[in-house]
Amino acid sequence: MMDNKIIDMAKEFLDDNEIKVDELLSKHTTYKIGGSCDLFLMPSTNEKVQKCIKLAKDNNIDYFVLGRGSNVLASDDGFRGIIINLASNFSNIEVEGEYLTAQAGASIIAASSRAQKSGLTGLEFVCGVPGTVGGAVAMNAGCYGGEMSDVLVSCTILDDKNEIVTLTKDELDMSYRHSIFEDKPYVMLEAKIKLQPGDSEQIKARMTELNERRKKVQPLEYPNAGSVFKRPNIENCYPGQLIEEAGFKGYKVGGAEVSTMHANFIVNNGDAKASDVYNIICEIQKKVKEMSDVELECEQRFIGKFE
């Protein structure tokens, strides 16, 4: 339970509708899993995000910056601390010429759609990714031959001193599913993306094609958090194949199941617990290591405590 003093301090710089107490994380994760957090803050400006982090640090409170919950697993016990939610309140998208600028909480699908409607090509590859612009940049999201580093120009961030600064793409150390955000406690605030002029109808047709392809290979009808494991840095080595060879396709623990459509997805069949998903992840890592001598690295982040 959060001290009322901390809640009152948050009210000094946040509106009442930007503060929730004992909020269930299952409402904010695509797994639809997770217990309650002590304090759930939804800032709408860079300065408010900055003040949320200062509040947590000054009072020695654990905090986690959460987007739209598409690449995370939240503990059944919730999170004892502050969740800073950069989502619907932090989702502005602007287009000027060939540049698209988006707040970190903007849906990457919405950014792709905005680009298409503006006659700009280059973001089609993420048109079906259920995450935020911030998350996509932080993990250098990519698929269908493109990745965020191909189009990113710069980012406005909060650095490790909680100061607002701008970094160019070259300063972000971007590589396969990696950026400087993996190594430093930076917080993404805004991304500037450069695109190319194109035909809106042709761009739309390409997006439709990619979304149809995605539906055929990903279990979109069940709550999930996207790919569970990163692709190993080994030629022609794919997590889904390793997991399937280890006999886990269709494997169930409680209400969680390794997808029968794509083995690198774990789905919530309706009543899965975080512990069910976590146990499957651990079992897969252990068995794949024994069978293939490959250490699968989890792509998803964990909120709260796991045993």
Side-chain angles (χ1 to χ4, degrees), residues 2 6-21 39-56 82-86 89-90:
M2 185 61 63
I6 301 299
I7 298 172
D8 289 340
M9 291 171 71
K11 289 180 178 179
E12 292 177 5
F13 59 87
L14 294 176
D15 297 334
D16 287 345
N17 62 0
E18 295 176 325
I19 301 172
K20 293 185 179 181
V21 178
L39 190 58
F40 192 86
L41 305 180
M42 300 168 285
S44 55
T45 67
N46 291 352
E47 292 71 26
K48 286 184 177 182
V49 178
Q50 192 176 33
K51 289 177 180 179
C52 287
I53 291 176
K54 185 177 189 302
L55 174 66
I82 299 174
I83 295 290
I84 302 171
N85 185 222
L86 304 186
N89 279 5
F90 204 76

Side-chain angles (χ1 to χ4, degrees), residues 136-202:
V137 170
M139 66 175 293
N140 193 18
C143 49
Y144 301 121
E147 57 184 14
M148 292 304 295
S149 58
D150 296 335
V151 296
L152 187 69
V153 175
S154 63
C155 287
T156 301
I157 70 162
L158 284 174
D159 65 13
D160 47 6
K161 296 178 182 177
N162 203 29
E163 295 178 352
I164 299 173
V165 299
T166 298
L167 299 180
T168 65
K169 179 177 72 174
D170 292 341
E171 295 175 293
L172 292 172
D173 189 28
M174 302 185 85
S175 58
Y176 174 74
R177 299 298 178 272
H178 176 271
S179 75
I180 198 169
F181 296 97
E182 300 281 311
D183 305 317
K184 293 183 179 291
Y186 294 167
V187 176
M188 247 281 291
L189 297 173
E190 186 177 273
K192 185 175 183 179
I193 292 167
K194 187 176 190 300
L195 303 169
Q196 303 297 324
D199 181 84
S200 291
E201 290 306 311
Q202 290 182 5

Side-chain angles (χ1 to χ4, degrees), residues 9-81:
M9 291 171 71
K11 289 180 178 179
E12 292 177 5
F13 59 87
L14 294 176
D15 297 334
D16 287 345
N17 62 0
E18 295 176 325
I19 301 172
K20 293 185 179 181
V21 178
D22 295 328
E23 179 75 354
L24 283 173
L25 294 178
S26 58
K27 296 179 180 179
H28 303 277
T29 63
T30 56
Y31 266 132
K32 305 299 182 187
I33 290 172
S36 65
C37 65
D38 294 334
L39 190 58
F40 192 86
L41 305 180
M42 300 168 285
S44 55
T45 67
N46 291 352
E47 292 71 26
K48 286 184 177 182
V49 178
Q50 192 176 33
K51 289 177 180 179
C52 287
I53 291 176
K54 185 177 189 302
L55 174 66
K57 288 183 173 181
D58 286 352
N59 293 279
N60 296 312
I61 298 171
D62 288 338
Y63 69 94
F64 186 95
V65 179
L66 177 69
R68 294 175 184 262
S70 64
N71 202 40
V72 299
L73 177 64
S75 169
D76 299 315
D77 295 328
F79 183 72
R80 305 284 67 81

Side-chain angles (χ1 to χ4, degrees), residues 33-34 73-77 253-256 271-283 305-307:
I33 290 172
L73 177 64
S75 169
D76 299 315
D77 295 328
V253 173
D271 59 352
K273 297 179 180 179
S275 57
D276 298 335
V277 177
Y278 184 73
N279 287 337
I280 290 177
I281 289 172
C282 293
E283 289 183 44
K305 294 183 178 180
F306 289 84
E307 297 296 335

